[in-house]
Amino acid sequence: MTPAGRHELEAWLAEVEAPTPFVSNPLAVKVTLALLVAGDDAAAGYLQRQRAAHRERMREYTRVKTDPDTSLAGVLAADYALNHLDADLRWIDTALARVASLSEELRP
């Protein structure tokens, strides 16, 4: 790496990433559309399938980060992914509870 390239990299790494004002996530968009178009049963079914997929992916990342041959960078990447998947799972659980509550309110 050239001295100029190193300087540019250091300047870029010193910049703090501003948190985004809005979260853009296809998962949330699909649930919203499922509720609006297909109804609460479809949304709940989608959420349950997505929850299972998230849990499987978490198991994969846990295997990666506990493998003694995984590099520090690999462990950090797995930790990052696991934290995001965990946040999604918490949201999925909240959304499932809200969909169930909505279903109860709408039933005669």
Side-chain angles (χ1 to χ4, degrees):
M1 180 176 289
T2 66
R6 178 164 296 284
H7 176 72
E8 194 67 31
L9 175 63
E10 289 172 355
W12 179 71
L13 289 173
E15 293 176 13
V16 174
E17 293 295 321
T20 59
F22 303 102
V23 176
S24 175
N25 186 329
L27 170 61
V29 172
K30 273 189 162 180
V31 171
T32 302
L33 288 174
L35 280 169
L36 292 173
V37 176
D40 53 334
D41 288 339
Y46 172 74
L47 284 164
Q48 290 163 350
R49 290 187 307 277
Q50 193 63 53
R51 187 175 198 285
H54 271 59
R55 292 178 61 83
E56 178 55 34
R57 181 60 57 94
M58 289 178 86
R59 284 189 283 276
E60 292 170 12
Y61 281 122
T62 299
R63 283 191 292 273
V64 167
K65 76 179 239 170
T66 58
D67 183 338
D69 293 330
T70 301
S71 68
L72 176 58
V75 171
L76 289 173
D79 283 338
Y80 184 83
L82 282 164
N83 279 293
H84 279 268
L85 289 166
D86 182 61
D88 280 353
L89 277 179
R90 285 181 281 143
W91 181 83
I92 287 169
D93 289 341
T94 298
L96 278 166
R98 291 187 192 279
V99 168
S101 176
L102 177 64
S103 294
E104 290 299 317
E105 288 176 17
L106 297 177
R107 290 204 173 107

